[in-house]
Amino acid sequence: MNKIIHKNIRHLRKLRGLTQEQFAEELQVPRSRIGSYEEGRSEPPIAMLVAFSDFFKIPVDILIKNDLTSAQDHSFIEIGQQRVLFPIQVDEANENVIEVVPVKASAGYLLGYDDPEYIEQLEKIKLPFLPTGKHRAFPIKGDSMLPLKDGSYVVARFVESLDDIKNGTTYVVVTLNNGITYKRVENNLKTQGSIRLISDNKAYEAFEVPAAEIVELWEFTCSINTQEYDAQELKISSIAQMLTELQVELQSLR
């Protein structure tokens, strides 16, 4: 009997602050079934493993093969080459929210990305249409990825493994030497052990980044274009209000 899955279910439930009864209601199963899984009296069938995976936003193979009990609130753990974040940040309505990395603090992100206190103090917004996964908003600097202008934001989904890179897709790449950069990616990991970062603005030359220098990778989901505002005038705390007033444009660019 797989003892890891039982410990993981109990630990992840507690990280979410849920009782067994509340967790059972979320999954629409009897509370006794949750208790049976957590106490190791029965094995979850495939359908329940998929339900756990969807609920916690963690791949099934990680749930059943890795001991996740070292993960604490607002922290992450390393699993091989993968980085798993805990927990998905939620607001009082239990809906996903997005941490926004401000322009002035973006330089410090490289030092604070794995510091729970740094992440906790970031401003947060909510975009209910986003797909599942952990999202974060990053500021755009310069004009290398037109039509996005300086001062816009890219909302991106955390990528757990470099193996999941899709050729030609745009990513926010956090690297040891270049900090935060938003580029189109060419995957050369198997042939050269690196990725090639390409600007949509052809005035900028592409460059290679070794896999060892990549700290985080976030796949583009949408952009927050602030065309009516100067970067100096834009305040992070006003983004949510601007979204509500439709003074910014959300668009899916690839």
Side-chain angles (χ1 to χ4, degrees), residues 56-62 77-86 88 133-134 157-165 215-219:
F56 294 119
K57 306 297 186 296
I58 297 174
V60 171
D61 62 332
I62 290 180
I77 60 173
E78 298 283 354
I79 301 176
Q81 298 299 313
Q82 295 185 327
R83 186 166 179 258
V84 179
L85 302 183
F86 290 93
I88 298 297
K134 176 64 185 174
R157 180 184 60 84
F158 181 73
V159 178
E160 294 182 350
S161 172
L162 297 183
D163 293 334
D164 295 329
I165 292 176
V215 175
E216 285 185 338
L217 193 71
W218 299 78
E219 182 180 358

Side-chain angles (χ1 to χ4, degrees), residues 199-211:
S199 299
D200 285 351
N201 184 343
K202 301 307 178 184
Y204 294 86
E205 293 186 3
F207 58 97
E208 297 281 334
V209 175

Side-chain angles (χ1 to χ4, degrees), residues 15-52:
L15 277 183
R16 286 293 188 91
L18 299 173
T19 64
Q20 283 189 352
E21 184 173 357
Q22 291 170 330
F23 188 32
E25 289 178 358
E26 290 282 349
L27 297 179
Q28 298 182 336
V29 298
R31 186 209 63 78
S32 58
R33 184 181 300 183
I34 298 299
S36 178
Y37 296 151
E38 291 189 359
E39 294 163 17
R41 290 183 281 110
S42 63
E43 289 281 343
I46 295 297
M48 281 306 305
L49 290 175
V50 172
F52 292 141

Side-chain angles (χ1 to χ4, degrees), residues 1 8 10 24-25 30 33 41-42 48 55 57 76 90 97 108 141 146 152 155 166 177 182 184 228 235 239 251:
M1 184 171 289
N8 286 343
R10 181 171 60 253
E25 289 178 358
R33 184 181 300 183
R41 290 183 281 110
S42 63
M48 281 306 305
F55 185 82
K57 306 297 186 296
F76 70 91
V90 297
V97 295
K141 297 180 181 179
L146 294 174
S152 299
V155 178
K166 306 166 189 173
N177 293 325
Y182 174 59
R184 200 166 297 279
E228 300 176 12
K235 294 182 179 179
I239 289 180
Q251 56 184 350

Side-chain angles (χ1 to χ4, degrees), residues 47-228:
M48 281 306 305
L49 290 175
V50 172
F52 292 141
S53 173
D54 291 342
F55 185 82
F56 294 119
K57 306 297 186 296
I58 297 174
V60 171
D61 62 332
I62 290 180
L63 275 173
I64 64 178
K65 294 179 181 178
N66 299 273
D67 185 351
L68 305 179
T69 56
S70 61
Q72 301 300 316
D73 195 23
H74 298 293
S75 68
F76 70 91
I77 60 173
E78 298 283 354
I79 301 176
Q81 298 299 313
Q82 295 185 327
R83 186 166 179 258
V84 179
L85 302 183
F86 290 93
I88 298 297
Q89 186 82 23
V90 297
D91 62 8
E92 61 275 6
N94 202 40
E95 297 178 353
N96 290 349
V97 295
I98 304 161
E99 300 104 354
V100 180
V101 180
V103 175
K104 290 184 178 179
S106 61
Y109 183 80
L110 192 60
L111 297 176
Y113 74 94
D114 61 351
D115 181 350
E117 292 185 5
Y118 172 85
I119 299 302
E120 177 63 24
Q121 57 84 32
L122 294 176
E123 294 279 355
K124 299 174 180 64
I125 60 175
K126 180 172 63 177
L127 298 177
F129 60 81
L130 291 179
T132 58
K134 176 64 185 174
H135 288 78
R136 194 161 287 166
F138 296 88
I140 296 299
K141 297 180 181 179
D143 61 352
S144 68
M145 293 298 287
L146 294 174
L148 291 183
K149 63 175 282 188
D150 188 83
S152 299
Y153 281 80
V154 163
V155 178
R157 180 184 60 84
F158 181 73
V159 178
E160 294 182 350
S161 172
L162 297 183
D163 293 334
D164 295 329
I165 292 176
K166 306 166 189 173
N167 263 324
T169 298
T170 54
Y171 294 87
V172 173
V173 187
V174 183
T175 67
L176 294 174
N177 293 325
N178 295 288
I180 300 173
T181 185
Y182 174 59
K183 292 287 186 287
R184 200 166 297 279
V185 172
E186 179 181 293
N187 188 348
N188 297 323
L189 291 172
K190 290 184 178 180
T191 57
Q192 302 178 34
S194 64
I195 61 174
R196 187 171 180 81
L197 302 187
I198 305 168
S199 299
D200 285 351
N201 184 343
K202 301 307 178 184
Y204 294 86
E205 293 186 3
F207 58 97
E208 297 281 334
V209 175
E213 291 187 13
I214 301 172
V215 175
E216 285 185 338
L217 193 71
W218 299 78
E219 182 180 358
F220 175 93
T221 296
C222 69
S223 62
I224 302 174
N225 289 328
T226 56
Q227 303 295 337
E228 300 176 12

